[in-house]
Amino acid sequence: MTVAQPATEQYKVFEINLTGTSQGNPYEDVVLSASFFNALTGEKMTVNGFYRGQGRYSIRFMPAAIGEWSYVTHANDSTLDGVSGSFVCVLARGNNHGRVMLATDVQRGTVLVTGEEENLSYRFSYEDGTPYQPYGTTCYAWTNQSEDVQEETLKTLAQAPFNKIRMCVFPKFYDFNTADPEMFAYEGSMEQGFDHRRFHEPFFENLDHRIAQLDALGIEADIILLHPYDKPEWGFSDMGADDDMFYLSYIARRYAAYKNVWWSFANEYDLMPQKSKEDWRRYARVVMANDPYNHLRSIHNCRILFDYNESWITHCSIQRIDVTRTTECVSDWRKQFHKPVIVDEPGYEGDIYWGWGNLTAQEETRRFWEGVLRGGYVTHGEVYIDKGEQLWWAHGGKLHGESPSRIGFLRSIMAEAPADVVPIRETPYASEDYWDVTVMTSGEDWRLFYFGFNASLYRDMVLPENGEYTVDVIDTWNMTIDRLPGTYHGKAHVDLGRKQYMAVRICKVA
Amino acid sequence: MTVAQPATEQYKVFEINLTGTSQGNPYEDVVLSASFFNALTGEKMTVNGFYRGQGRYSIRFMPAAIGEWSYVTHANDSTLDGVSGSFVCVLARGNNHGRVMLATDVQRGTVLVTGEEENLSYRFSYEDGTPYQPYGTTCYAWTNQSEDVQEETLKTLAQAPFNKIRMCVFPKFYDFNTADPEMFAYEGSMEQGFDHRRFHEPFFENLDHRIAQLDALGIEADIILLHPYDKPEWGFSDMGADDDMFYLSYIARRYAAYKNVWWSFANEYDLMPQKSKEDWRRYARVVMANDPYNHLRSIHNCRILFDYNESWITHCSIQRIDVTRTTECVSDWRKQFHKPVIVDEPGYEGDIYWGWGNLTAQEETRRFWEGVLRGGYVTHGEVYIDKGEQLWWAHGGKLHGESPSRIGFLRSIMAEAPADVVPIRETPYASEDYWDVTVMTSGEDWRLFYFGFNASLYRDMVLPENGEYTVDVIDTWNMTIDRLPGTYHGKAHVDLGRKQYMAVRICKVA
């Protein structure tokens, strides 16, 4: 049987849906895959399928190469075996740039100027070469909320500046966040227990839908596969290694074809001592074996950083471990791990009683600027306990804080920065003049200085004598950019108005 | 010749004034000392005298023991040799508690409860046993300003909460601080050079007077003996080791008898590479040989901490070396050096262009609270460049900032704390509950919690189940203390109003 399918866009999900046995436990018993072949490029890929209940099976494939792809299925159930078909993959359009990858992987094969490889090591890129800078947020359990809250979350995200979201598969049990979800990932119930070998299809259909909706909004789904905030009646944090791996294999087979998926193996792995370091490594191997697209992978800490030098980890996903010195540590972590650094928990805007969730919007915004200008990436969260039923960080819903608009302002400024900007501390331009200011630089042509909580009346900026430069005074809190009249060389006297959270940008114009 | 003198109070200066040769260079040629003997206690001390120009010589002595002291002079000038006399030392009165010493030196011989020695290691005490907690400020060159500015500085200090001042002997050349003083420490002139073997008596008479005035105000004079902020026409930072030691010997002989003197061998020693580590050690020996009272000694850094474990150093005098994490490091420095930790430059309130001097008053105050509650001490400075001609940090004059009153508020709160308070991290009471809050504790009976820049709506404070506690909500910025009605045990729900810079104090009352 050969079925011709409608055309699929590059990097989007091509799905084969089949019907087969529902006898026994197909989740465990049926082994299904499909081989895909592109006659134009000669490329061949095999991807694993998954069961979805009631005799229904799916295989999801994300084509990168354009042209006609043919496929044939393989299965230990004869009704699923040998199904063939084809579809045409057409060029990506609009906002579709494919997966987010390590910049070094995207640029592989490109001849780079000396030093550029080192800089690329700390960056991400869409697979079509478009730069990607994560400006993430956090809604741990948003897909475990009621339908209307989920819809509201998506509406909020559509207006927000975020292009990545940290989200769990399993529900979360923690302060202000103790309700049972309407659906669970497994068949069974809290009263009678869950069957860790039978997934609950409606739960995953909702997750499919939500991940696709995030993709449509241009938001990467940083999926937290396991986490410690569990309750005994749920028990998803302590299923044992075999069930963990059964689950991880299923998740990878079901979601790897979504271009906007990242794998975060754990939130706060160190609060799950029941899982060893070696467990995490083999969990990663299970996911990698079922993810032919090599999506980004990391693991997140509470108090003890994981060793991000381990080869299965593509980037750092860090929670600050000091109350005061937070995203400033990006400089250290870059040196320590030589991978992109995302500070996924720098502390959150809000008024909860814990120090991780009672930052002013000013401090939250400051941590973004510090981290980004040091060559890292920072993730937002919000935990106001007196502004409505939902707390964004756990439930989603509405945003109430003042930092998101400022984060968007920073994002817009960084989007305009030259491609080769680096933290000045890592360049020959580093100078004692900059001990108290965080600076990104592109050679001597473009610089962005951030003064953080320091409040100066003015500062004389040192400029090269050769060339002419424009000087922009940026109020990162009030989101204004004021260009000083004329152009400057040698020195520019910059009035900073004794205000905190100021930045200065200089650009060579002649 | 025996001269009976009027009675002198304990710890105050008893001065012998003599007339002798003015031939040659008496600063170099004449060796003068006096032996003092207290018949009541059998105590005997020898102190060195100093020349003060025009054939005048002085020997200054600070008696600690009451009763009659007799003395006899020794000199290589026969007119100065063999002069004897006596005076009666009477009990200290009023605010006179003697020198500030290491608490361990004052408590020597006292039987301590286990653990108390360790706690004492980080503290100061007046020699009569009265506790002393330094709340210092900084006016580097105040005695090098015009007469009226010096008088204004004293008037300001009389109203300020400070009980220590960092001050240089030599003038300071630095931004906003480039004027030549009216007087220099040496004979000579900027045009013709200075004679490093002949001191200028009017300069030192002024310094005598100013140190005595500080003492009358209860302010310790933390005298900075050498510093790098010099200009070529002055040259006092680079006189060479022999002249440095000639100067240091003179200073020690002239000022050691002032009870309120501390020796700070350098401001920012690491900016004077012309002086080796071994130079500083022998400089210390010169001062110690001429200071029979063993005044407190330290040395201050710019970017590289001195090794405060060196035995000649009594306490740490630190400049923060990180822009963000400043007095938080007190916890580390206590462990590293096992001596009292003074953060003499935590950054200053002001609006100068450098990050060390453009802190908001809120941030300056926050650094005080952080440092003090971690068991250290913090020193104030102020550098507003748009509030008058004088910048307090260099010239003295008037204070304009908002932190001094808050520092006074902190001082008053700490003055009421039990004598045995320690940072909770160093006690068996340390708990994960306190990872985000800085806490001082006296067992379980008294605790002071500081929440810094975090802004919580409320926090439930954990209290012992046994006993009853009062709970005070302290707004460290608005300087209010609100006691919650009633008493509490087990738990107290404390409304913090989503405000930054809040503290909570609990006291056992039953």
Side-chain angles (χ1 to χ4, degrees):
Chain A
M1 182 179 71
T2 296
V3 185
Q5 305 271 358
T8 294
E9 206 175 299
Q10 267 180 306
Y11 317 128
K12 294 225 166 166
V13 180
F14 172 78
E15 186 174 281
I16 306 171
N17 292 304
L18 303 169
T19 305
T21 182
S22 59
Q23 300 299 302
N25 182 357
Y27 289 106
E28 285 195 301
D29 304 337
V30 176
V31 180
L32 171 67
S33 66
S35 298
F36 290 83
F37 179 69
N38 184 310
L40 199 66
T41 61
E43 194 179 352
K44 189 173 176 184
M45 285 181 76
T46 298
V47 302
N48 295 325
F50 59 95
Y51 185 57
R52 47 200 307 176
Q54 299 182 305
R56 296 177 302 148
Y57 295 80
S58 292
I59 300 163
R60 290 175 178 163
F61 176 60
M62 178 180 67
I66 56 171
E68 186 177 78
W69 287 86
S70 59
Y71 63 81
V72 60
T73 64
H74 318 284
N76 59 354
D77 172 359
S78 60
T79 61
L80 301 169
D81 188 49
V83 180
S84 63
S86 66
F87 71 96
V88 173
C89 175
V90 298
L91 276 172
R93 284 172 300 192
N95 210 26
N96 175 5
H97 304 291
R99 287 166 295 166
V100 172
M101 301 170 67
L102 295 182
T104 41
D105 285 344
V106 176
Q107 300 292 336
R108 188 186 293 149
T110 310
V111 178
L112 300 167
V113 294
T114 308
E116 203 171 347
E117 302 87 339
E118 176 62 13
N119 182 20
L120 278 182
S121 306
Y122 303 106
R123 294 206 195 148
F124 299 101
S125 170
Y126 288 106
E127 66 184 299
D128 72 353
T130 305
Y132 172 82
Q133 301 167 5
Y135 288 85
T137 189
T138 311
C139 298
Y140 284 126
W142 79 276
T143 60
N144 283 290
Q145 306 306 307
S146 66
E147 173 77 14
D148 58 323
V149 174
Q150 293 182 51
E151 291 298 328
E152 188 173 49
T153 303
L154 287 161
K155 269 188 212 160
T156 303
L157 286 170
Q159 305 300 320
F162 306 116
N163 61 7
K164 177 171 95 74
I165 189 166
R166 298 183 67 229
M167 53 186 276
C168 300
V169 175
F170 292 123
K172 182 167 179 166
F173 185 79
Y174 186 77
D175 299 11
F176 305 103
N177 193 12
T178 55
D180 296 311
E182 291 174 15
M183 287 193 294
F184 287 95
Y186 292 104
E187 294 296 333
S189 66
M190 288 172 59
E191 295 71 28
Q192 304 193 328
F194 294 103
D195 181 348
H196 295 156
R197 298 290 163 143
R198 288 180 186 268
F199 297 102
H200 184 54
E201 179 64 15
F203 176 92
F204 284 100
E205 284 186 3
N206 182 63
L207 193 57
D208 295 352
H209 181 49
R210 298 312 182 190
I211 291 172
Q213 288 175 301
L214 291 173
D215 188 46
L217 293 172
I219 296 172
E220 302 295 302
D222 194 359
I223 300 178
I224 296 167
L225 297 167
L226 294 161
H227 70 81
Y229 297 103
D230 196 14
K231 61 193 250 189
E233 298 85 347
W234 300 347
F236 307 128
S237 67
D238 199 15
M239 301 188 293
D242 283 351
D243 285 351
D244 281 351
M245 290 190 284
F246 190 77
Y247 154 76
L248 292 168
S249 163
Y250 187 79
I251 288 273
R253 284 180 280 131
R254 186 154 187 149
Y255 293 104
Y258 290 84
K259 67 180 166 72
N260 64 323
V261 156
W262 301 21
W263 308 120
S264 177
F265 281 81
N267 195 33
E268 305 189 346
Y269 81 93
D270 46 329
L271 300 192
M272 284 189 281
Q274 64 272 31
K275 301 181 204 299
S276 70
K277 287 273 176 80
E278 188 53 29
D279 281 337
W280 296 115
R281 292 177 195 122
R282 57 187 182 144
Y283 290 3
R285 291 195 294 271
V286 166
V287 169
M288 290 159 83
N290 289 284
D291 168 13
Y293 317 105
N294 196 32
H295 284 289
L296 294 169
R297 291 176 299 275
S298 195
I299 185 165
H300 184 70
N301 66 291
C302 180
R303 295 187 193 93
I304 302 158
L305 293 197
F306 208 92
D307 181 2
Y308 294 105
N309 286 309
E310 292 203 9
S311 63
W312 62 271
I313 301 179
T314 53
H315 63 283
C316 307
S317 168
I318 291 176
Q319 174 161 195
R320 58 102 205 82
I321 47 176
D322 186 284
V323 175
T324 308
R325 201 167 182 273
T326 64
T327 52
E328 291 84 356
C329 301
V330 163
S331 305
D332 303 325
W333 294 324
R334 279 170 60 113
K335 282 191 196 127
Q336 193 176 351
F337 301 120
H338 293 282
K339 293 179 182 179
V341 175
I342 307 183
V343 189
D344 270 320
E345 285 197 61
Y348 299 147
E349 180 180 352
D351 58 8
I352 204 171
Y353 29 75
W354 295 121
W356 55 257
N358 52 18
L359 304 183
T360 61
Q362 287 86 344
E363 176 64 12
E364 175 85 347
T365 306
R366 189 190 74 78
R367 293 184 184 190
F368 265 79
W369 276 82
E370 276 291 341
V372 169
L373 266 65
R374 287 170 187 268
Y377 306 99
V378 187
T379 302
H380 164 269
E382 181 179 299
V383 274
Y384 282 110
I385 48 179
D386 56 340
K387 297 197 175 177
E389 274 180 61
Q390 278 81 41
L391 281 68
W392 176 260
W393 126 98
H395 312 104
K398 283 190 181 134
L399 282 166
H400 305 277
E402 298 180 283
S403 65
S405 54
R406 278 80 186 180
I407 293 164
F409 180 69
L410 169 61
R411 183 179 169 184
S412 70
I413 285 174
M414 291 308 296
E416 293 171 10
D420 64 348
V421 289
V422 288
I424 202 163
R425 281 158 212 263
E426 297 169 19
T427 69
Y429 308 107
S431 144
E432 284 293 344
D433 289 342
Y434 305 132
W435 70 269
D436 59 346
V437 49
T438 305
V439 192
M440 275 214 128
T441 193
S442 165
E444 293 192 289
D445 291 353
W446 185 98
R447 279 189 191 159
L448 183 57
F449 302 80
Y450 179 61
F451 299 102
F453 51 69
N454 294 116
S456 293
L457 196 66
Y458 67 87
R459 184 138 170 166
D460 291 334
M461 309 301 297
V462 178
L463 301 175
E465 288 292 345
N466 298 321
E468 288 297 326
Y469 294 81
T470 56
V471 177
D472 296 320
V473 181
I474 301 175
D475 182 329
T476 71
W477 180 249
N478 292 306
M479 297 182 282
T480 57
I481 304 177
D482 293 316
R483 178 155 294 183
L484 299 191
T487 61
Y488 299 81
H489 63 269
K491 197 185 90 168
H493 181 84
V494 180
D495 187 353
L496 296 168
R498 204 197 290 154
K499 284 195 283 190
Q500 293 187 302
Y501 314 120
M502 299 297 285
V504 171
R505 181 173 59 186
I506 63 166
C507 307
K508 189 172 188 180
V509 289
Chain B
M1 181 176 74
T2 297
V3 186
Q5 306 271 357
T8 294
E9 205 175 303
Q10 268 182 306
Y11 317 128
K12 295 225 165 164
V13 179
F14 172 78
E15 186 173 280
I16 305 170
N17 292 304
L18 303 169
T19 305
T21 182
S22 59
Q23 299 298 303
N25 183 357
Y27 288 106
E28 284 197 301
D29 304 337
V30 175
V31 179
L32 171 66
S33 67
S35 299
F36 290 82
F37 178 69
N38 185 310
L40 200 64
T41 62
E43 194 179 352
K44 191 174 176 182
M45 285 180 76
T46 298
V47 303
N48 295 323
F50 59 96
Y51 185 56
R52 48 200 306 175
Q54 300 182 305
R56 295 176 300 149
Y57 295 80
S58 291
I59 300 162
R60 290 176 177 163
F61 176 59
M62 178 180 67
I66 56 172
E68 186 177 77
W69 287 86
S70 58
Y71 63 83
V72 59
T73 66
H74 320 283
N76 59 353
D77 172 0
S78 61
T79 63
L80 301 168
D81 189 51
V83 179
S84 62
S86 67
F87 71 96
V88 173
C89 176
V90 298
L91 276 172
R93 283 173 300 193
N95 210 25
N96 175 4
H97 304 291
R99 288 165 295 166
V100 172
M101 301 169 67
L102 294 181
T104 42
D105 285 344
V106 176
Q107 300 291 336
R108 189 187 290 149
T110 309
V111 177
L112 299 166
V113 294
T114 308
E116 203 172 345
E117 302 86 342
E118 176 63 11
N119 182 21
L120 278 182
S121 305
Y122 304 105
R123 293 202 196 152
F124 300 101
S125 170
Y126 288 106
E127 65 184 299
D128 73 353
T130 305
Y132 172 82
Q133 302 168 4
Y135 289 85
T137 189
T138 311
C139 298
Y140 283 126
W142 79 277
T143 60
N144 283 291
Q145 306 306 307
S146 65
E147 173 76 14
D148 59 323
V149 174
Q150 293 182 49
E151 290 299 328
E152 189 174 48
T153 302
L154 287 161
K155 268 188 213 160
T156 303
L157 286 170
Q159 304 300 320
F162 305 116
N163 61 5
K164 177 171 95 75
I165 189 167
R166 298 183 67 229
M167 53 185 276
C168 300
V169 175
F170 293 123
K172 181 165 180 169
F173 184 80
Y174 186 77
D175 300 10
F176 305 102
N177 195 11
T178 55
D180 296 311
E182 290 174 17
M183 287 193 294
F184 287 95
Y186 292 104
E187 295 295 333
S189 67
M190 288 173 58
E191 295 71 27
Q192 304 192 327
F194 294 104
D195 182 348
H196 296 155
R197 298 290 162 144
R198 287 181 187 270
F199 297 102
H200 183 54
E201 178 64 15
F203 175 92
F204 284 99
E205 285 187 1
N206 181 63
L207 193 57
D208 296 351
H209 181 49
R210 299 311 183 191
I211 291 173
Q213 287 175 302
L214 291 173
D215 188 46
L217 293 172
I219 297 173
E220 302 295 301
D222 194 359
I223 300 178
I224 297 168
L225 298 166
L226 294 162
H227 71 80
Y229 298 104
D230 196 12
K231 61 193 251 189
E233 298 85 347
W234 301 347
F236 307 128
S237 67
D238 197 16
M239 301 189 293
D242 283 352
D243 285 352
D244 280 351
M245 289 190 286
F246 189 78
Y247 154 76
L248 292 168
S249 163
Y250 187 79
I251 288 274
R253 283 179 280 131
R254 185 154 186 149
Y255 293 104
Y258 289 85
K259 68 181 165 70
N260 65 323
V261 157
W262 301 21
W263 308 121
S264 178
F265 282 80
N267 194 33
E268 304 191 345
Y269 81 93
D270 46 328
L271 301 191
M272 285 189 280
Q274 65 272 29
K275 302 183 204 300
S276 69
K277 288 271 176 80
E278 189 52 29
D279 281 337
W280 295 113
R281 292 177 196 123
R282 57 186 181 144
Y283 290 4
R285 291 195 292 270
V286 167
V287 169
M288 290 160 83
N290 289 284
D291 168 13
Y293 316 104
N294 196 32
H295 284 288
L296 294 169
R297 290 175 301 275
S298 195
I299 185 166
H300 184 70
N301 66 292
C302 180
R303 297 189 192 93
I304 302 158
L305 294 198
F306 208 92
D307 180 2
Y308 293 106
N309 286 308
E310 293 203 9
S311 63
W312 63 271
I313 301 179
T314 54
H315 64 282
C316 307
S317 168
I318 291 176
Q319 174 161 194
R320 57 104 207 82
I321 47 176
D322 186 284
V323 175
T324 307
R325 200 166 182 274
T326 64
T327 52
E328 292 84 355
C329 301
V330 163
S331 305
D332 304 325
W333 293 323
R334 279 170 60 113
K335 282 191 197 131
Q336 192 175 353
F337 301 119
H338 292 283
K339 293 180 182 178
V341 175
I342 307 182
V343 189
D344 270 319
E345 286 197 58
Y348 299 147
E349 181 180 353
D351 58 8
I352 205 171
Y353 29 75
W354 295 122
W356 56 258
N358 51 18
L359 303 183
T360 60
Q362 286 87 343
E363 175 65 11
E364 175 85 348
T365 306
R366 188 190 74 78
R367 293 183 186 190
F368 265 79
W369 275 82
E370 276 291 343
V372 169
L373 266 65
R374 287 169 188 269
Y377 306 99
V378 187
T379 302
H380 164 269
E382 181 180 300
V383 275
Y384 282 111
I385 48 179
D386 55 341
K387 297 197 175 175
E389 275 179 59
Q390 278 82 41
L391 281 69
W392 176 260
W393 127 98
H395 311 105
K398 282 190 180 133
L399 281 165
H400 306 277
E402 297 181 284
S403 65
S405 54
R406 278 80 185 180
I407 293 165
F409 181 68
L410 168 62
R411 183 178 169 184
S412 71
I413 286 173
M414 292 307 296
E416 292 171 9
D420 65 347
V421 289
V422 288
I424 203 164
R425 282 157 213 263
E426 298 168 19
T427 70
Y429 307 107
S431 143
E432 284 293 345
D433 289 341
Y434 306 133
W435 70 270
D436 59 347
V437 50
T438 306
V439 191
M440 274 212 129
T441 192
S442 166
E444 293 192 288
D445 291 352
W446 185 98
R447 279 189 190 159
L448 183 57
F449 302 79
Y450 178 61
F451 298 102
F453 51 69
N454 293 115
S456 293
L457 196 65
Y458 67 87
R459 183 138 169 167
D460 291 334
M461 309 302 296
V462 178
L463 301 175
E465 287 291 347
N466 299 320
E468 288 296 325
Y469 294 81
T470 56
V471 178
D472 296 319
V473 181
I474 301 174
D475 182 330
T476 71
W477 179 249
N478 291 307
M479 297 181 283
T480 57
I481 304 177
D482 293 317
R483 178 155 294 184
L484 299 191
T487 61
Y488 299 82
H489 63 269
K491 196 185 90 167
H493 181 84
V494 180
D495 188 353
L496 296 169
R498 203 195 291 154
K499 283 195 282 188
Q500 293 187 302
Y501 315 120
M502 299 298 284
V504 171
R505 181 173 58 186
I506 63 165
C507 309
K508 188 172 187 180
V509 288

